[in-house]
Amino acid sequence: MKPGSEQFRSILILTLINVGIIVILSFLSPTFLTYENLLSVLKRMSVLGMLAIAETIVFISSGFDLSIGTIMAISGLIAGQMYIFGLPFFLCVLLALLGGMAAGLMNALFIVKLRLQPFIVTLATMSILRSIVYGVLRGKTLSHFPESYLAYGDLTILGFPFLFLVLIVFAVLSSLLLQRTYIGRQIYAVGGNERSAYLSGISVNRIKYTVYILSGFICACAGLLFSIRIRAIIPDAGLNSPLEVVTAVVIGGTAITGGKGTIAGSLLGVLALFLLTNGFSLLNLNPFWQLVVLGLLLIYVVGREGISKALIGKRLKKKSHQAAGIK
């Protein structure tokens, strides 16, 4: 990422916005800058940050994945349910990760083999897997996890929560994959122009399989982090995640049409959302307005180019009418 580039400017602007939010909230709430509150923000953003990494990679490839929150939920469910069945917990974790990758593979198969739209495929996957989660849990909470596993939720290293450090490790590895490897360059190429990528010798279908399986794996890891953070898996785990994640990723500068985006930008977008959410909580504002704000942000960010063009067109039309009136 070069200084002066569009991505660099986007990250710089988003960094300044986050700093501005922090400064404003520190004046409005005396408890905002306390260690306990900031620790809570970092813990909570760790799970959504993992989902944002997965969605960013998919978006860059010009894909779309609405099933991220549901894959997170069912992966945590697999780990807990297998532990109840008496399997060693390391094997439960392995099965949870494989379950997430299998869900990603299922998405890829329908998208590649049947040439269906990613939005429709992942919407269907989300509905199917969510129904399974509801059917297994039946409105109850699954909290049967080893205490040694749940202890990671309270672990801090150099003052930072363990869950947040896991997010940072995944962010660094994902950024290196996208920016420093041949596969990463292929993902950008496919997202930028699938036809040109195919003509240049890139196996487009292989890249799509890789992207969705990797997304499923990262979402499964998010499911494990979620179960650690709240010490359980609940039926509604990740229910609102698609809206939150897509908003954060697009705010972070990742193009919904593919070929452009960074992991750093997406995580800054996640941080901005959680700072706003935390501010709502500290200022005792109605939490239902959070979804309204998220929806408006998503509409603006996705449609800002069209909005700008419409405003410019309106101004030019007004000037042309004025010029015609003068004549």
Side-chain angles (χ1 to χ4, degrees):
M1 190 191 313
K2 298 179 181 179
S5 66
E6 184 180 350
Q7 289 183 343
F8 180 83
R9 289 196 299 271
S10 176
I11 289 177
L12 180 61
I13 291 171
L14 200 49
T15 301
L16 294 175
I17 289 173
N18 278 308
V19 171
I21 294 173
I22 290 171
V23 171
I24 292 171
L25 289 179
S26 63
F27 279 106
L28 294 177
S29 173
T31 59
F32 174 73
L33 285 180
T34 60
Y35 175 71
E36 291 76 14
N37 183 60
L38 295 179
L39 194 71
S40 174
V41 171
L42 294 181
K43 278 185 182 180
R44 293 180 62 221
M45 75 167 285
S46 301
V47 176
L48 200 72
M50 292 286 285
L51 298 181
I53 291 173
E55 193 71 83
T56 301
I57 296 172
V58 173
F59 270 14
I60 290 173
S61 71
S62 192
F64 203 96
D65 194 350
L66 284 173
S67 63
I68 49 174
T70 312
I71 294 177
M72 178 190 81
I74 202 163
S75 298
L77 175 63
I78 290 172
Q81 201 67 46
M82 292 301 104
Y83 185 64
I84 291 175
F85 291 157
L87 294 180
F89 194 69
F90 78 90
L91 188 57
C92 298
V93 170
L94 179 60
L95 289 174
L97 297 177
L98 290 175
M101 294 171 71
L105 175 61
M106 182 171 67
N107 284 334
L109 282 171
F110 283 111
I111 292 168
V112 173
K113 294 297 183 182
L114 300 182
R115 299 187 181 279
L116 299 176
Q117 290 295 320
F119 182 90
I120 300 301
V121 170
T122 56
L123 178 63
T125 304
M126 178 183 71
S127 300
I128 293 168
L129 297 181
R130 182 63 65 182
S131 297
I132 294 173
V133 172
Y134 284 151
V136 173
L137 291 179
R138 298 179 181 273
K140 299 177 182 178
T141 298
L142 193 157
S143 56
H144 296 281
F145 292 97
E147 194 60 39
S148 58
Y149 167 75
L150 298 176
Y152 285 106
D154 299 320
L155 177 64
T156 58
I157 301 175
L158 299 177
F160 292 95
F162 172 78
L163 302 184
F164 179 73
L165 294 178
V166 171
L167 170 65
I168 296 302
V169 169
F170 269 83
V172 171
L173 292 176
S174 301
S175 296
L176 291 175
L177 172 70
L178 290 172
Q179 304 289 341
R180 303 292 181 182
T181 67
Y182 182 59
I183 292 177
R185 290 191 289 272
Q186 288 183 324
I187 292 173
Y188 276 104
V190 170
N193 191 315
E194 186 175 314
R195 176 71 176 168
S196 297
Y198 175 77
L199 293 175
S200 65
I202 296 175
S203 177
V204 174
N205 289 344
R206 181 173 60 84
I207 290 299
K208 289 182 179 180
Y209 278 116
T210 301
V211 163
Y212 282 98
I213 292 173
L214 180 59
S215 174
F217 172 77
I218 297 173
C219 291
C221 293
L224 296 174
L225 294 188
F226 181 86
S227 64
I228 292 173
R229 187 178 73 81
I230 71 165
R231 305 177 69 85
I233 284 293
I234 58 176
D236 289 340
L239 190 63
N240 293 323
S241 294
L243 172 63
E244 296 169 335
V245 168
V246 170
T247 303
V249 169
V250 175
I251 287 175
T254 298
I256 203 168
T257 53
K260 184 178 75 172
T262 61
I263 301 297
S266 295
L267 293 187
L268 285 171
V270 171
L271 177 60
L273 291 186
F274 271 96
L275 289 175
L276 289 174
T277 301
N278 186 244
F280 269 82
S281 177
L282 293 176
L283 299 175
N284 293 320
L285 299 177
N286 193 325
F288 293 105
W289 285 104
Q290 295 175 20
L291 291 178
V292 175
V293 172
L294 288 181
L296 292 175
L297 277 174
L298 183 58
I299 291 172
Y300 169 72
V301 174
V302 173
R304 61 186 169 190
E305 186 175 345
I307 294 171
S308 299
K309 287 181 179 179
L311 290 174
I312 292 172
K314 188 175 181 180
R315 289 175 184 172
L316 291 175
K317 188 176 180 180
K318 185 176 180 181
K319 288 181 178 179
S320 64
H321 286 168
Q322 289 176 344
I326 292 172
K327 291 180 180 179

